[in-house]
C-alpha cells in the first residue's frame, strides 16, 4: 500500500510553481497522504477535523491501530478490512490519526449538536439506517460510536440541519420524499412526508439529492431542490411559501451539483440565499454517454423573507460544477474545487476548475467576483473544503471513480491534504490584522448577552469604523454542500482604547436559537476586511 504514496510524492515534487492571478491567495501542501479520500469533513471545537470516505472501496492507505480489523460480512468489497476509512486531522500538529468506522458512510450527512459532538446520519448498504456519534477529545482517545438502526428510513444523499432545539432534521435521500429527526421525541416517531421532494425529482436522474437546507431567522427551513425552493414549517409539516423557479430552470442539486450558502446574517437585514453553478438540463444523461456539457456559470440570489421574493441572477467568471461554497470570516464567499464540464458521478466530470473565486456580497452586481491563484491539484467528484480557525481553508478529496484507483485513469484518487490561504492572510496585512485577547477560546456565553471583546492592532493602524465582529458555525462538508454553515455579523458597541494598542468593544450575542442554534462557533474580529484568528465560543 505504499506505492501510491511514492508515486504521489514524486508527482507533487515535480509540479511547476503556481501561476499568479489577480486575486492572490496561497496554496500549501499539508500532507502528501492522509490514507483516505477526504469525501466528508467536519471541523470540531478541538481544532481537529474528522474526515471519511467509504468502507467498500477496498483497503485504504492507512492501517487501523494495534492490528485491529473491521469484520463485515455485508461489505461489498472486503469482509475483513484492516485499514481505516475515517481519520482525524490535528490542525495544530498537522498530523493524522486513524479512526474506526464500521458501517458504510458513503454519501452520508452530519451536524454538530450543542455539546460539540458530531452526529452523523445514513450512508450506503449496511450504513443507510445508521447514526454515528463522534464526541471530540484532546487526548486521542475518542472514536466513532454507532447506532445501527438509528434512522427509520434509508438515508443516502440526504441533508442534515441542526435545529433550535438541538435535534437535527434529516431531509430526503435517494428514493426518500420525506424527513425525520434525530433524536426521536418518542420510540414510535417515524418519518414525515415531504411531497416537494417528489415534485423536484427528475425520473432516472433525480436532481433533488443533498437538498440545500438552511434554518431561516424565523425558525422555518428554506429547502432548495433541483431548481426551486420552499419555506417549510417542519413542526407542522406545512409549506409557508413557494419561491419562483430559478431563472433558466436548470437543475442545481445533486447530481447536477451546484452549491449554495446562506449569506451573512446582519441585524435588521433580511436573510439571503446564494445558489451558484451546476449543470444544464440533460447534462447528466449526456455525461453518461461521454458527452460533457459545460457547467453553468450563473448564480441566483434571493431575499427569502421579502413579501415578493425574486431571484437576481449573476454571472461567474467561469462555469463550475461540484464546487464548494464557504463563508469566510470577513463575510465574503469562497467558491473552490470542482469541474468546468460534466456532472457528479463516476468519471462524469471534466475540465478541472483550478482557480478559486471570491464573491463579495456587498459590492455592486457585476463587480462581485474575483478569481484567485490556482492550485495544480484537480479536486473533482468527492472533494471537500472547510474553514479552519486560523482563517485558512482546508481542501482535500477527489475520487471520481470506484475504489482507490491511482493509475491509468484521468483523475486518480487523491489522498493529499492542502490549505488555501485567502489573500487576507498575506504577510503584508500583519500590521492591520487584529488579535483577539479575550474572550479566550472555549468561553461560554448565552443568548442576548453583551460580551466584552478585547483585541489589539499595531500602533497607529486602527480605523474604528472598519471593525466588524463575526461568528461562524463550522460546517459538515460533502458533495458540494456545507451543511449547517452560517455566519452572523454581530451588533457591536463603540471601540474603546484600553491602553497602548489594545481596544475593547461589546458584542451582542444572537437573541435566539433561530438565529444561531446552540453550540460552538468561531468568533472573529475583522479590521479593514482582514480577520483575526478565530476563538471558539460556546453559546447555549
Amino acid at each position: 500500500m505504499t506505492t501510491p504514496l511514492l508515486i504521489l510524492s514524486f508527482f507533487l515534487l515535480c509540479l511547476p510553481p503556481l501561476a499568479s492571478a489577480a486575486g492572490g491567495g496561497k496554496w500549501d501542501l499539508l500532507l502528501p497522504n492522509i490514507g483516505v479520500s477526504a469525501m466528508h469533513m467536519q471541523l470540531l471545537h478541538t481544532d481537529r477535523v474528522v474526515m471519511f470516505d467509504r468502507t467498500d472501496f477496498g483497503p485504504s492507505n492507512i492501517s487501523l491501530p494495534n492490528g485491529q480489523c473491521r469484520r463485515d460480512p455485508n461489505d461489498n468489497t472486503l469482509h475483513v478490512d484492516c485499514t481505516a476509512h475515517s481519520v482525524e486531522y490535528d490542525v495544530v500538529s498537522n498530523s493524522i490519526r486513524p479512526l474506526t468506522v464500521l458501517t458504510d458512510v458513503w454519501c452520508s450527512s452530519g451536524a454538530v449538536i450543542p455539546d460539540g459532538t458530531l452526529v452523523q446520519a445514513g450512508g450506503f448498504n449496511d450504513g443507510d439506517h445508521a447514526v454515528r456519534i463522534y464526541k471530540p477529545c484532546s487526548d486521542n482517545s475518542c472514536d466513532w460510536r454507532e447506532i445501527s438502526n438509528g434512522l427509520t428510513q434509508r438515508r443516502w444523499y440526504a441533508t442534515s440541519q441542526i435545529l433550535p432545539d438541538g435535534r437535527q432534521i434529516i431531509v430526503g435521500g435517494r428514493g426518500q420524499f420525506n424527513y425525520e429527526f434525530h433524536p426521536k421525541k418518542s420510540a414510535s416517531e417515524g418519518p414525515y412526508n415531504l411531497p416537494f421532494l417528489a415534485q423536484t425529482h427528475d425520473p432516472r436522474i433525480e436532481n433533488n439529492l443533498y437538498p440545500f437546507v438552511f434554518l431561516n431567522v424565523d425558525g422555518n427551513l428554506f429547502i432548495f431542490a433541483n431548481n426551486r425552493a420552499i419555506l417549510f414549517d417542519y413542526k407542522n409539516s406545512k409549506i409557508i411559501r413557494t419561491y419562483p423557479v430559478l431563472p433558466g430552470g436548470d437543475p442545481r442539486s445533486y447530481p447536477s451539483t451546484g452549491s449554495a450558502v446562506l449569506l451573512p446574517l446582519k441585524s435588521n437585514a433580511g436573510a439571503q440565499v446564494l445558489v451558484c453553478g451546476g449543470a444544464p438540463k440533460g447534462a447528466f444523461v449526456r455525461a453518461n454517454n461521454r458527452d460533457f456539457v459545460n457547467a453553468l456559470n450563473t448564480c441566483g440570489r434571493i431575499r427569502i423573507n421579502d413579501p415578493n421574493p425574486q431571484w437576481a441572477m449573476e454571472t461567474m467568471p467561469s462555469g463550475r460544477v461540484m464546487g464548494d461554497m464557504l463563508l469566510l470570516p470577513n463575510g465574503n464567499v469562497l467558491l473552490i474545487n470542482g469541474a468546468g464540464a460534466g456532472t457528479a458521478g463516476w468519471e462524469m466530470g471534466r475540465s478541472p476548475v483550478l482557480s478559486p473565486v471570491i464573491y463579495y456580497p456587498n459590492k455592486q452586481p457585476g463587480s462581485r467576483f474575483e478569481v484567485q491563484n490556482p492550485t495544480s491539484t484537480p479536486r473533482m467528484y468527492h472533494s471537500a473544503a472547510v474553514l479552519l480557525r486560523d482563517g485558512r481553508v482546508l481542501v482535500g478529496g477527489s475520487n471520481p471513480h470506484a475504489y482507490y484507483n491511482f493509475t491509468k485513469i484521468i483523475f486518480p484518487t487523491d489522498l493529499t491534504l492542502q490549505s488555501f490561504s485567502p489573500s487576507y492572510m498575506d504577510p503584508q496585512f500583519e500590521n492591520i490584522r487584529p488579535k483577539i485577547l479575550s474572550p479566550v477560546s472555549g468561553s461560554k456565553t448565552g443568548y442576548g448577552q453583551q460580551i466584552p471583546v478585547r483585541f489589539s492592532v499595531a500602533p497607529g493602524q486602527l480605523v474604528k469604523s472598519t471593525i466588524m465582529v463575526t461568528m461562524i458555525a463550522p460546517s459538515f462538508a460533502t458533495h458540494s454542500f456545507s451543511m449547517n454553515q452560517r455566519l452572523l455579523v454581530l451588533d457591536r458597541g463603540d471601540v474603546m482604547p484600553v491602553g497602548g494598542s489594545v481596544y475593547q468593544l461589546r458584542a451582542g450575542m444572537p437573541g435566539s436559537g433561530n438565529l444561531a442554534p446552540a453550540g460552538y462557533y468561531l468568533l472573529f474580529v475583522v479590521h479593514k476586511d482582514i480577520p483575526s484568528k478565530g476563538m471558539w465560543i460556546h453559546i447555549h
Side-chain angles (χ1 to χ4, degrees):
M1 286 188 280
T2 58
T3 303
L5 174 58
L6 293 173
I7 294 171
L8 191 54
S9 299
F10 176 79
F11 172 73
L12 289 164
L13 288 171
C14 296
L15 287 176
L18 297 179
S20 295
K26 178 174 175 282
W27 289 89
D28 290 292
L29 175 67
L30 300 176
L31 291 170
N33 188 333
I34 63 169
V36 303
S37 182
M39 190 184 298
H40 312 73
M41 303 171 73
Q42 172 74 58
L43 173 68
L44 302 168
H45 68 275
T46 50
D47 289 322
R48 313 285 180 99
V49 181
V50 171
M51 311 178 207
F52 48 91
D53 50 27
R54 57 185 289 191
T55 59
D56 60 354
F57 265 12
S60 74
N61 263 236
I62 185 168
S63 297
L64 289 167
N66 306 317
Q68 297 176 45
C69 297
R70 181 180 64 91
R71 290 171 171 80
D72 184 357
N74 298 314
D75 193 281
N76 290 338
T77 306
L78 285 176
H79 292 169
V80 178
D81 186 356
C82 303
T83 63
H85 296 277
S86 177
V87 297
E88 182 189 69
Y89 173 65
D90 186 330
V91 176
V92 175
S93 66
N94 190 39
S95 61
I96 286 290
R97 179 171 73 92
L99 301 175
T100 307
V101 65
L102 299 176
T103 55
D104 198 348
V105 286
W106 183 32
C107 304
S108 51
S109 63
V112 175
I113 60 175
D115 72 354
T117 298
L118 172 60
V119 177
Q120 200 273 314
F124 181 60
N125 196 14
D126 61 358
D128 60 12
H129 282 71
V131 169
R132 303 169 199 86
I133 297 168
Y134 190 85
K135 190 172 182 61
C137 64
S138 298
D139 61 1
N140 293 337
S141 64
C142 40
D143 210 335
W144 287 104
R145 181 167 66 85
E146 303 199 22
I147 305 167
S148 58
N149 287 299
L151 303 172
T152 63
Q153 302 295 306
R154 179 184 189 234
R155 300 293 172 192
W156 191 28
Y157 300 94
T159 297
S160 293
Q161 170 65 50
I162 194 72
L163 298 172
D165 66 3
R167 294 186 300 161
Q168 62 177 290
I169 186 171
I170 303 121
V171 180
R174 177 155 286 173
Q176 300 296 335
F177 308 134
N178 54 64
Y179 62 94
E180 65 180 284
F181 300 95
H182 182 84
K184 308 284 188 254
K185 285 189 172 178
S186 68
S188 61
E189 186 181 29
Y192 299 82
N193 288 332
L194 185 55
F196 171 71
L197 293 177
Q199 295 157 12
T200 52
H201 178 268
D202 289 340
R204 297 183 299 280
I205 301 172
E206 295 170 293
N207 280 333
N208 67 343
L209 301 179
Y210 279 128
F212 306 142
V213 180
F214 299 107
L215 177 66
N216 191 16
V217 295
D218 63 1
N220 295 309
L221 297 177
F222 178 89
I223 303 176
F224 183 102
N226 199 318
N227 56 14
R228 53 198 183 276
I230 55 172
L231 188 63
F232 187 64
D233 175 358
Y234 62 88
K235 294 178 181 177
N236 298 301
S237 292
K238 180 181 176 183
I239 293 177
I240 306 287
R241 167 178 283 173
T242 299
Y243 295 93
V245 171
L246 196 65
D250 289 309
R252 308 286 178 147
S253 304
Y254 186 95
S256 299
T257 304
S259 190
V261 290
L262 179 68
L263 289 175
L265 298 171
K266 302 176 184 178
S267 180
N268 300 318
Q272 299 183 65
V273 168
L274 180 70
V275 179
C276 288
K281 287 180 183 176
F284 180 79
V285 173
R286 291 175 67 174
N288 258 319
N289 294 321
R290 322 323 286 166
D291 176 16
F292 303 98
V293 181
N294 287 339
L296 298 170
N297 67 351
T298 54
C299 298
R301 178 168 166 171
I302 191 168
R303 294 181 176 274
I304 64 177
N305 295 320
D306 274 7
N308 181 30
Q310 299 294 321
W311 292 98
M313 301 304 291
E314 303 182 62
T315 302
M316 298 189 290
S318 63
R320 191 183 300 255
V321 64
M322 297 182 288
D324 292 276
M325 293 174 70
L326 290 179
L327 296 165
L328 298 177
N330 56 9
N332 298 326
V333 181
L334 179 70
L335 289 81
I336 197 166
N337 300 336
T343 68
W346 299 132
E347 298 292 353
M348 290 174 65
R350 294 293 186 274
S351 305
V353 180
L354 301 175
S355 294
V357 169
I358 288 183
Y359 176 84
Y360 296 89
N362 297 327
K363 289 189 176 182
Q364 291 301 308
S367 60
R368 288 176 172 160
F369 294 95
E370 183 181 75
V371 178
Q372 306 297 292
N373 282 333
T375 179
S376 300
T377 305
R379 298 290 180 185
M380 304 291 282
Y381 186 44
H382 289 152
S383 57
V386 295
L387 177 72
L388 299 178
R389 183 158 74 96
D390 59 15
R392 292 177 299 159
V393 172
L394 189 69
V395 181
S398 194
N399 180 230
H401 46 78
Y403 309 113
Y404 295 100
N405 195 334
F406 302 94
T407 58
K408 298 180 181 177
I409 47 176
I410 301 172
F411 302 111
T413 300
D414 195 294
L415 305 183
T416 64
L417 199 63
Q418 290 177 289
S419 66
F420 176 71
S421 299
S423 57
Y424 58 57
M425 298 192 71
D426 289 355
Q428 63 176 311
F429 299 123
E430 281 308 305
N431 65 328
I432 61 172
R433 188 184 315 283
K435 179 182 179 181
I436 298 177
L437 305 176
S438 67
V440 297
S441 205
S443 296
K444 295 182 183 296
T445 185
Y447 290 111
Q449 290 189 5
Q450 296 284 320
I451 65 167
V453 178
R454 189 168 287 196
F455 64 95
S456 62
V457 174
Q461 297 295 325
L462 182 72
V463 178
K464 292 183 180 181
S465 61
T466 69
I467 289 290
M468 179 171 64
V469 182
T470 62
M471 55 183 270
I472 299 180
S475 54
F476 180 89
T478 190
H479 290 76
S480 304
F481 184 52
S482 295
M483 303 174 195
N484 306 290
Q485 181 178 220
R486 68 200 292 117
L487 184 153
L488 294 98
V489 179
L490 302 182
D491 292 336
R492 68 162 178 84
D494 292 339
V495 178
M496 307 297 292
V498 176
S501 57
V502 177
Y503 303 87
Q504 183 167 302
L505 57 80
R506 299 188 74 82
M509 288 292 104
S512 75
N514 289 347
L515 290 170
Y520 285 89
Y521 289 76
L522 284 170
L523 182 79
F524 296 90
V525 172
V526 182
H527 176 231
K528 294 183 178 179
D529 222 30
I530 306 301
S532 66
K533 290 185 178 179
M535 291 289 179
W536 288 106
I537 59 169
H538 191 196
I539 188 168
H540 58 91

